[in-house]
Amino acid sequence: MNAINESFLPTGETAVIRLITAGSVDDGKSTLIGRLLYDSKSVFADQLDAIARAKYKRVAGDGIDFALLTDGLEAEREQGITIDVAYRYFATPRRKFIVADAPGHEQYTRNMVTGASTADVAVILIDATRAADGRLLPQTKRHSTIARLLGIRHIIVAVNKMDLVAWDRAVFERIRDGYADLAARLGIQDFKVLPMSALNGDNVVAPSVHAPWYDGPPLLELLESLDPAAHDAEAPLRFPVQWVVRHDGSSAQDFRGYAGRVASGALRPGDEVVVQPSGVAARVAEVRGHDRVLSGAVAGDSVIVVLDRDVDVSRGDVLTHAASPARVEKEFEAEVCWLDAQPLNPARKYLLKHGTRLTAAKIRQVATRRDIHELREVDGADGTLSMNDIGKVRIATREPLVIDRYDEVAATGAFILIDESTHQTAAAGMVR
């Protein structure tokens, strides 16, 4: 699962929110992001000039085809679809945003999973002209299911192209009620619904005069009001070790430290920690940053940890507090979204990448598969999953893993499966 390099962003009090647009094909996801970039003054004049002269422009006259601001691949512009996840960046005085534009086609669902894996907010678009009766398209259901499985905290449902249904309030309310039913069946508790026209800018940055019956905020104001996913310093400490740092091994002041990124919780000198999976205990002697000794570190900080004594610590081990250790398992249940064109084959060998550890894995059982159309789990007796299927499986690994439930600590509850023969990413999984 991808991580975004945020080093280019200025530091300060302004919070960073990661959001992804999702939904079915032609719901207007790329156009919405282009409109957000344009209205927030995040587009340069030469970019506007370039898309105004683009041969694949699909807007009549002098209008701006906002989708071209995110759809950069030749195949995307030629076909008028989004194929790969495109990341864009913009800022307002209150927030900085990292925006992922996800494809709507079912065959590119795996790209959506990648983009959603780091998102705080999912903006799910629904084309008002295609869901006017309140019945939602399969990809809307699938993307909502994935957002729920990935634990995305905030879901905003944007009923787009309201201008094409004459801003009919009854159409909006049928779609709103249809999504409320979907959310109840998926267990989504926090979601907001608003009407908009991404192409015309109605209810994107400024309120729309065409919907006086809607008394909520426009999209950007709603996004600015959300609390970004905060790194909770009170969460259990999880520090996956990336590598062992050694130097001056021939001198009396030789150095041994353990470099990594704090995945959750907080770490301070004097803390008693346990090296998992071995269970060896030690105390933190120092926490070092790039060029200085630190008073501590919290989730998101990349540091070097020095222990008070030499113990056996290797890449893939996890430092946890003695009072709140993680589970150590070689067999566990998980929910996976199958991403490979090759279906799951229980006889096939897979590699499991979990944090900084890579180990061999075998899928013992496919317990259930989720029927996206009926929103129910069906028996997985056939023992396989096809591309874009979501199912519950039982996995056995060669080496013990330091794991948590995904909804408790996402960093140690997430993993990917890799086909050992093709090296394709086969599935993204969450420990349940």
Side-chain angles (χ1 to χ4, degrees):
M1 297 187 179
N2 290 1
I4 304 304
N5 183 354
E6 297 168 22
S7 59
F8 69 92
L9 292 170
T11 57
E13 296 301 319
T14 307
V16 177
I17 291 181
R18 304 169 192 81
L19 68 95
I20 185 169
T21 57
S24 194
V25 180
D26 289 333
D27 282 348
K29 299 177 292 297
S30 300
T31 300
L32 172 60
I33 294 179
R35 170 61 75 173
L36 279 170
L37 295 173
Y38 179 77
D39 286 353
S40 63
K41 307 295 189 291
S42 300
V43 183
F44 293 110
D46 59 341
Q47 290 177 289
L48 291 175
D49 182 60
I51 64 173
R53 294 182 284 104
K55 64 179 179 178
Y56 296 123
K57 178 181 173 183
R58 297 171 184 270
V59 177
D62 296 328
I64 301 172
D65 188 347
F66 292 107
L68 296 181
L69 288 171
T70 56
D71 290 339
L73 299 176
E74 183 77 8
E76 292 178 324
R77 296 188 172 201
E78 182 180 35
Q79 299 178 55
I81 63 173
T82 300
I83 295 174
D84 200 2
V85 179
Y87 292 98
R88 295 294 181 266
Y89 316 94
F90 73 97
T92 70
R94 297 180 60 188
R95 293 283 190 269
K96 298 183 182 75
F97 296 93
I98 299 173
V99 191
D101 181 18
H105 281 68
E106 180 177 346
Q107 72 185 94
Y108 301 125
T109 299
R110 53 188 173 183
N111 302 55
M112 185 270 177
V113 174
T114 299
S117 64
T118 57
D120 306 314
V121 185
V123 179
I124 296 178
L125 279 84
I126 297 176
D127 184 338
T129 65
R130 294 191 289 171
D133 58 359
R135 289 185 291 181
L136 307 180
L137 296 177
Q139 274 301 78
T140 302
K141 298 177 182 179
R142 180 176 280 107
H143 286 177
S144 298
T145 301
I146 292 171
R148 172 71 179 87
L149 293 178
L150 291 175
I152 296 179
R153 298 175 60 207
H154 304 288
I155 293 179
I156 299 172
V157 181
V159 182
N160 193 27
K161 303 185 183 181
M162 284 295 297
D163 53 313
L164 299 184
V165 294
W167 291 92
D168 189 331
R169 181 176 183 175
V171 169
F172 171 76
E173 290 179 345
R174 282 195 294 271
I175 296 173
R176 180 197 63 195
D177 294 344
Y179 195 87
D181 177 65
L182 171 66
R185 297 169 72 181
L186 292 177
I188 298 173
Q189 298 179 347
D190 180 20
F191 69 95
K192 307 225 172 10
V193 188
L194 73 157
M196 70 160 53
S197 170
L199 182 62
N200 298 325
D202 292 289
N203 266 347
V204 177
V205 171
S208 173
V209 298
H210 302 294
W213 39 266
Y214 172 71
D215 57 3
L219 177 63
L220 185 59
E221 184 179 333
L222 185 56
L223 289 171
E224 288 180 321
S225 70
L226 298 176
D227 292 328
H231 295 302
D232 187 1
E234 300 303 318
L237 170 67
R238 302 293 184 260
F239 181 78
V241 175
Q242 292 185 6
W243 69 86
V244 179
V245 181
R246 293 291 308 274
H247 63 78
D248 292 337
S250 60
S251 72
Q253 285 77 35
D254 67 317
F255 178 86
R256 184 197 298 265
Y258 309 102
R261 183 174 183 268
V262 182
S264 67
L267 184 68
R268 298 176 182 83
D271 286 358
E272 184 178 354
V273 295
V274 173
V275 182
Q276 293 191 281
S278 68
V280 176
R283 286 193 179 274
V284 177
E286 280 186 341
V287 179
R288 291 175 172 261
H290 172 63
D291 56 359
R292 65 187 187 280
V293 176
L294 305 174
S295 60
V298 296
D301 292 343
S302 295
V303 295
I304 297 173
V305 176
V306 181
L307 300 180
D308 65 344
R309 62 192 186 93
D310 287 341
V311 296
D312 183 7
V313 182
S314 304
R315 175 179 171 85
D317 290 343
V318 180
L319 301 185
T320 67
H321 279 140
S324 54
R327 292 161 47 196
V328 176
E329 304 282 357
K330 293 183 70 173
E331 190 165 333
F332 56 91
E333 293 180 352
E335 202 147 21
V336 298
C337 179
W338 199 256
L339 309 178
D340 197 354
Q342 290 286 338
L344 183 157
N345 183 347
R348 205 174 182 91
K349 293 182 180 180
Y350 295 98
L351 297 174
L352 188 147
K353 182 74 167 65
H354 175 260
T356 56
R357 186 177 292 280
L358 183 68
T359 185
K362 184 175 181 60
I363 298 173
R364 298 278 193 203
Q365 177 192 20
V366 178
T368 60
R369 178 174 50 81
R370 191 180 295 265
D371 186 317
I372 292 298
H373 298 278
E374 299 295 329
L375 295 178
R376 61 186 178 87
E377 292 184 341
V378 297
D379 186 74
D382 59 358
T384 188
L385 295 172
S386 300
M387 188 169 69
N388 299 322
D389 278 348
I390 298 170
K392 288 183 179 178
V393 301
R394 188 159 191 84
I395 298 176
T397 59
R398 182 175 59 196
E399 300 173 82
L401 299 181
V402 181
I403 61 174
D404 294 280
R405 287 173 53 94
Y406 181 83
D407 53 5
E408 294 175 353
V409 184
T412 46
F415 62 90
I416 61 172
L417 290 173
I418 303 166
D419 190 305
E420 191 176 53
S421 300
T422 65
H423 296 285
Q424 291 286 334
T425 300
M430 292 131 301
V431 178
R432 298 300 183 191

